[in-house]
Amino acid sequence: MDDKSAGLASGLAPRLALLRALAEEQHITRVAERLRVPQPTVSRWLARLGEELGTPVVVRAGRGIRLSRAGLALAESAGHALAALEAGCRRALADTDGEQGLVALAFLHTLGGRPVPELLRGYRARRPSVRFSLAQAPHDTILDRLREGVVDLGLTSPTPTGDPGLTSAVLFHQPLVVAVPERHPLAKRRRVRIGELAGEDFVGLEVGFGLRAITDELCAAAGFRPRLAFEGQETDTVLGLVAAELGIALVPQADSGPPAGVVEVPLSPAARRTVGLVWATGRPLSPAVREFRDFALGRGTR
């Protein structure tokens, strides 16, 4: 679009309804009454449009007016544009409706198996018309999307601290275990200390994932830095690498047990990760988002 066309289009935006009404009424007085705009204002808008186009948009027809060929072209486009705008307004109003709004929720990949589906099932039993836009992402990406306003709420771990732009609340805790191949010497242990893992090859998630940060912190507290043989973006992949005897991993305890070829060994002392709900501080939440947040927080910790 050239500069002249762009400028004309931006100026037309407030006058789209005028053009559509003119195409239907073809009478300035009736158009002014329909739009609740003074008749002189309607006349000025029409004259200004003609000046900007370099050709009149209306011509006299007896005691009334009719659109010129240029005016008809604009009116047709105005009708399409208004229809699209009105549809967008309907969607926007629906999104802010507590009964049938939209909730944009981002969460960690590791929460997609049971925690998130159970949470959504419980809420949808109360509000079946509310829609959800779901996105799985690493911890750092979730926080970025919250700051940017791309999503309304985030389920992540660890909960952010020291960021005035984000507010969080604890939802639940997940025990952490050492995932080892079933033929690994540690597979027969009832418990294992983090310090005993110093000489092992680890497989884990990339930097930027919450579980990777927790792994690094636990190992640092035990006096060593984990030796990462493989790094990935999916916990299922990490566990597959463990089953293939390519390393060990610190992971949340599986709700339905570990996959074939993997043994979970509890830590001593016990370790866990805290999963929290996060939202942007000070940003207004729609009724549906606010209600879902309160519902999730009301479920308490586990």
Side-chain angles (χ1 to χ4, degrees):
M1 181 182 292
D2 57 40
D3 292 342
K4 183 176 180 180
S5 299
L8 179 59
S10 62
L12 279 174
R15 290 170 264 181
L16 295 178
L18 167 62
L19 290 169
R20 185 168 68 174
L22 274 171
E24 297 173 0
E25 301 287 354
Q26 297 193 16
H27 194 281
I28 288 182
T29 301
R30 289 197 296 269
V31 167
E33 292 173 352
R34 174 172 166 176
L35 300 180
R36 298 181 182 179
V37 175
Q39 184 172 326
T41 300
V42 172
S43 298
R44 285 197 302 272
W45 281 359
L46 292 173
R48 180 66 182 275
L49 276 174
E51 292 173 2
E52 293 174 347
L53 283 172
T55 184
V57 294
V58 293
V59 293
R60 290 288 176 184
R63 300 181 63 182
I65 60 170
R66 63 178 176 82
L67 291 169
S68 66
R69 191 167 72 173
L72 285 170
L74 282 177
E76 181 180 4
S77 298
H80 294 318
L82 273 175
L85 181 60
E86 288 163 356
C89 288
R90 287 194 297 271
R91 291 195 299 271
L93 289 172
D95 289 350
T96 61
D97 187 327
E99 295 290 334
Q100 55 180 357
L102 173 70
V103 179
L105 175 67
F107 55 92
L108 300 175
H109 292 80
T110 52
L111 300 176
R114 178 176 291 181
V116 169
E118 288 187 349
L119 182 62
L120 296 180
R121 180 177 63 181
Y123 181 72
R124 285 295 295 273
R126 173 186 297 188
R127 289 282 185 261
S129 297
V130 171
R131 295 168 294 120
F132 283 83
S133 173
L134 304 177
Q136 293 175 283
H139 173 76
D140 287 357
T141 301
I142 290 174
L143 300 187
D144 287 342
R145 290 179 180 176
L146 284 167
R147 295 185 188 100
E148 295 164 1
V150 177
V151 297
D152 302 310
L153 301 169
L155 271 173
T156 190
S157 177
T159 53
T161 57
D163 187 335
L166 297 174
T167 301
S168 63
V170 174
L171 282 190
F172 56 87
H173 304 279
Q174 287 184 314
L176 295 176
V177 296
V178 183
V180 301
E182 60 183 359
R183 296 192 298 181
H184 193 283
L186 293 175
K188 297 180 181 180
R189 294 277 296 275
R190 297 185 60 182
R191 292 189 176 275
V192 63
R193 296 188 305 276
I194 290 287
E196 296 180 74
L197 308 177
E200 299 284 345
D201 284 334
F202 280 72
V203 294
L205 300 177
E206 297 174 349
V207 173
F209 285 78
L211 189 57
R212 171 61 181 274
I214 293 172
T215 297
D216 290 346
E217 290 169 5
L218 287 174
C219 292
F224 72 98
R225 182 176 181 178
R227 186 171 64 235
L228 270 293
F230 296 92
E231 299 176 81
Q233 298 181 347
E234 295 278 355
T235 304
D236 287 345
T237 301
V238 168
L239 292 173
L241 294 171
V242 171
E245 302 183 349
L246 295 173
I248 66 170
L250 291 179
V251 295
Q253 186 174 24
D255 293 320
S256 56
V262 176
V263 175
E264 293 180 345
V265 184
L267 291 168
S268 178
R272 64 182 186 177
R273 74 169 180 175
T274 299
V275 177
L277 189 66
V278 189
W279 60 94
T281 305
R283 182 179 298 146
L285 301 178
S286 72
V289 172
R290 187 168 59 250
E291 185 183 60
F292 176 71
R293 179 199 63 183
D294 295 344
F295 171 81
L297 298 179
R299 289 171 64 95
T301 60
R302 65 179 185 182

